[in-house]
Every structure is written in C-alpha cells, then in structure tokens.
Amino acid sequence: MKIYDFPKGPYPTRVRIALAEKNLLSHVEFVMVDLYKGEHKRPEFIAAKNYSGTLPVLELDDGTCIGECTAITEYLDALDGAPKLTGTTPREKGVIHMMNKRAEIELLDAVSVYFHHGTPGLGPDVEVYQNPEWGFRQRDKAVRGMHYFDSVLRRQPYVAGESFSMADIAVIGGLLFASLVELPVPRECEALRGWYAEMLQRESVRDQPAFSRSVHVQH
Ligand code: GTS
C-alpha cells in the first residue's frame, strides 16, 4: 500500500494514527506531496489519485485509490487485526460513524475552512479563492464544536462511548488543526482539554510527526 501524505497535516495524521493503532505503519510506503507547492492540485494528481485534490490518499497494490480519511480508516479496519476503530456491532458502527461525521462537520472541516479562508492558508499561489467572512464564520463554528465535544466528554470517556475509535481520531485531528491556526480550546472546556491531554500521551498519537516539537513551525 502507498499513502500520498503530508506528514504533519491534520488529515493525514488521522490516517497515520489509525495505521499506528492497527500496527500497520511498516506495511505502507509514504509518498510526500507538498501542499505548499500545490502538488495536490496538479492535474495529474487530480486525474490519477484524488478528484478532490486533497490528502491523504491510499493507493492499493492493484492501483485503486481511496481518498477521504473515513473511507481509508474503514478500509484499514476491515483488514485483519485489533483494535477495531470503526466498531463491531451495528450499534457501535452507527454511533462511531455519527460521531466521526460530527467531528468533521462541527470541528475539523470548520477549522480547515478557517485556515484556507481566514488566514493566508497555503499561500497566494495555492489559495486562488479566499472568502475571509466565510472563514471567520467557520472559526466560530469550530469553537461551538469544541463546546459540543466537551459536553460529550463530560459524560463518557471517549467521543463515541466507552472505547477509543475513529471518532476520537477525528477530534484529535480537529484539535491539532486548531492548535496550528492558534485557535485555543476554551478554558471552560475542561473535559475536552483533559481528554486531549490524555490522547497526546497515547503512543499512536504521541509518535506522529505532527506532534514533534517543530509542529508549530509549519502546517
Ligand atoms: N474530506 C477530506 C478527508 O477527510 O480526507 C479532507 C482532506 C483534506 O482537506 N486534507 C488536507 C488537504 O489536502 C490535508 S491537511 O490540511 O490536513 O494537511 N488540504 C489542501 C487543500 O488545498 O485543501
């Protein structure tokens, strides 16, 4: 398997965490695609690897390309091996998918829109259209999302219930992106802050390039 990757990016980090959880990191060849050079927007990448022009992309040995972190994680989870990140029972699968989607809509994707529209983002050569007002609205939405996940984590240890799952990984991605754009988790969100501090100690998270000491230098 190959992963088209930007090692410190929040979305690619989601898949890296999933690979680490599943003990699959050594089965993957990582191919760096430089977002700041716009390599992900080149016509050949869009045509052959990912129509969306985003990372990460998983390429299977038969040439099939799978984009979208959720889809990639579901693929990896369907291979043999514990732990299960997307649930086992129908109920677990439903709840995990719901919370993962909420983590994207209410937090991670909102921070991403803020990055691309409300900040210089990937720079003038790559950000060909920016709408700052939309960016700032999404920043406010992300802060509301933080309050929502705080309320969830006040009543249960993990985002989708009693065990670590793909939904935790998506919220980790959201908070990683928030830290890159210097959007702090509100002080009163104590449960979310405590949970995140715990997640940062987890081996699969702690060892990722995004959490190395140079993380704040460049997205
Ligand atoms: N919905 C996609 C997914 O879940 O995989 C979003 C992927 C995404 O936005 N990836 C970012 C990207 O390619 C990577 S990073 O920002 O986390 O490093 N962004 C570049 C762009 O131009 O949107």
Side-chain angles (χ1 to χ4, degrees), residues 99 102 144-159 188-193:
M99 296 309 284
R102 284 187 185 161
R144 283 202 308 277
M146 290 176 186
H147 280 99
Y148 168 67
F149 286 106
D150 181 63
S151 73
V152 168
L153 290 161
R154 277 174 197 269
R155 54 174 199 265
Q156 60 195 36
Y158 295 99
V159 171
E188 64 271 23
C189 292
E190 284 170 12
L192 180 60
R193 292 167 75 103

Side-chain angles (χ1 to χ4, degrees), residues 6-15 35 40-41 50 52-57 67-72 104 108-109 112 115-116 122 126-127 177 180 219:
F6 188 69
K8 291 191 174 185
Y11 290 87
T13 296
R14 287 169 68 188
V15 165
L35 295 178
H40 59 304
K41 299 297 184 203
N50 188 7
S52 305
T54 58
L55 301 172
V57 180
E68 301 298 329
C69 293
T70 303
I72 297 170
E104 292 183 332
L108 174 55
D109 292 351
S112 176
F115 170 72
H116 290 290
L122 296 170
V126 184
E127 306 291 358
F177 216 154
L180 295 171
H219 159 242

Side-chain angles (χ1 to χ4, degrees), residues 132-142 144:
E133 192 188 346
W134 178 237
F136 290 120
R137 276 188 82 103
Q138 293 299 304
R139 180 195 60 187
D140 296 346
K141 178 178 179 177
R144 283 202 308 277

Side-chain angles (χ1 to χ4, degrees), residues 17 31 34-35 49 67 110 133 137 147 181 213 215:
I17 293 170
V31 181
D34 193 333
L35 295 178
K49 307 300 178 195
E133 192 188 346
R137 276 188 82 103
H147 280 99
V181 296
R213 266 188 286 151
V215 64

